[in-house]
Amino acid sequence: LAKTTQPISMDSYEGQEVNITCSHNNIATNDYITWYQQFPSQGPRFIIQGYKTKVTNEVASLFIPADRKSSTLSLPRVSLSDTAVYYCLVGGWNAGNMLTFGGGTRLMVKP
Amino acid sequence: DAGVIQSPRHEVTEMGQEVTLRCKPISGHDYLFWYRQTMMRGLELLIYFNNNVPIDDSGMPEDRFSAKMPNASFSTLKIQPSEPRDSAVYFCASSRSNQPQHFGDGTRLSIL
């Protein structure tokens, strides 16, 4: 399973756009890129998933360059409630969606 | 829609006791996963099932840990005997094939 590298922590202010970049140099051809969000005392929650180019949903956007060796999660106009740990994962759809979680990025949104 | 349901939410017990954690996956999901989360090691996959059959248990720390899935709507993770180093938050997740995993809110386990 491809290893991921992402910043340990980030700070932002309410209303700003936040971009969290994840490196996955060893991503395999059949690997997807998935981002999860985790609040204290809760399980991780699926945010967005993509394979290449750009994916957007009601919560976030995911940008994936052509070489797929990195990806960027974009959170538009964050609020205090977006303070959480964000995990980037890569994995294929074989092996039952096995996921390897890295250390995640702890995002702190300040007023 | 009901999500993944785990019980108990909190468990405090003494070293050497048997601990049983329970999980009810989302109806219709054919994959079930057990994870453990600690500050030191982060989120680790312990075992996962497909159609109630254990597929990969390579993440199970040792023989003191066992997991079962007697039917599509119920799974248990058992630790016997428990040790203080087993203290962690244990998460259960479920998914359909080729779909993202949905996690429960976990069981916070403290072994004294």
Side-chain angles (χ1 to χ4, degrees), chain A residues 16-20 59-60 73-78 82 86 107:
Chain A
Q16 289 187 336
E17 178 184 80
V18 171
N19 296 308
I20 305 175
V59 176
L73 174 72
S74 181
L75 304 173
R77 297 186 299 281
V78 294
D82 292 317
Y86 292 82
L107 173 66

Side-chain angles (χ1 to χ4, degrees), chain B residues 17-55:
Chain B
Q17 297 296 308
E18 178 179 288
V19 173
T20 300
L21 311 181
R22 298 172 176 80
C23 175
K24 177 179 171 55
I26 294 173
S27 177
H29 284 190
D30 53 354
Y31 283 90
L32 184 138
F33 306 81
W34 282 100
Y35 291 84
R36 177 172 69 175
Q37 186 172 37
T38 61
M39 289 293 293
M40 290 294 295
R41 300 175 67 89
L43 258 167
E44 304 173 277
L45 176 65
L46 302 177
I47 184 172
Y48 80 93
F49 296 80
N50 178 218
N51 292 322
N52 313 337
V53 176
I55 303 301

Side-chain angles (χ1 to χ4, degrees), chain A:
Chain A
L1 296 171
K3 180 178 172 161
T4 60
T5 302
Q6 52 185 125
I8 293 174
S9 63
M10 293 181 69
D11 289 343
S12 183
Y13 291 92
E14 281 190 292
Q16 289 187 336
E17 178 184 80
V18 171
N19 296 308
I20 305 175
T21 297
C22 178
S23 297
H24 27 80
N25 291 320
N26 297 324
I27 189 168
T29 303
N30 63 342
D31 283 345
Y32 282 74
I33 300 158
T34 308
W35 286 79
Y36 281 80
Q37 173 192 56
Q38 186 177 26
F39 297 112
S41 302
Q42 294 186 25
R45 185 174 69 100
F46 171 80
I47 301 176
I48 198 167
Q49 182 179 70
Y51 184 80
K52 61 181 178 181
T53 63
K54 176 184 175 183
V55 179
T56 297
N57 61 23
E58 65 277 7
V59 176
S61 293
L62 179 59
F63 298 91
I64 305 169
D67 66 5
R68 304 200 325 123
K69 292 183 182 300
S70 66
S71 60
T72 299
L73 174 72
S74 181
L75 304 173
R77 297 186 299 281
V78 294
S79 63
L80 296 176
S81 63
D82 292 317
T83 294
V85 178
Y86 292 82
Y87 293 97
C88 163
L89 303 98
V90 293
W93 288 121
N94 58 342
N97 291 354
M98 283 186 67
L99 299 175
T100 299
F101 283 79
T105 297
R106 189 172 299 274
L107 173 66
M108 174 68 72
V109 179
K110 303 175 182 178

Side-chain angles (χ1 to χ4, degrees), chain B residues 39-87:
Chain B
M39 289 293 293
M40 290 294 295
R41 300 175 67 89
L43 258 167
E44 304 173 277
L45 176 65
L46 302 177
I47 184 172
Y48 80 93
F49 296 80
N50 178 218
N51 292 322
N52 313 337
V53 176
I55 303 301
D56 190 332
D57 65 354
S58 59
M60 296 284 261
E62 48 198 276
D63 292 345
R64 297 184 297 105
F65 285 69
S66 63
K68 295 182 180 179
M69 192 166 186
N71 57 62
S73 60
F74 184 66
S75 177
T76 60
L77 178 68
K78 189 171 292 187
I79 309 172
Q80 167 63 20
S82 58
E83 297 182 3
R85 61 191 168 123
D86 302 330
S87 298

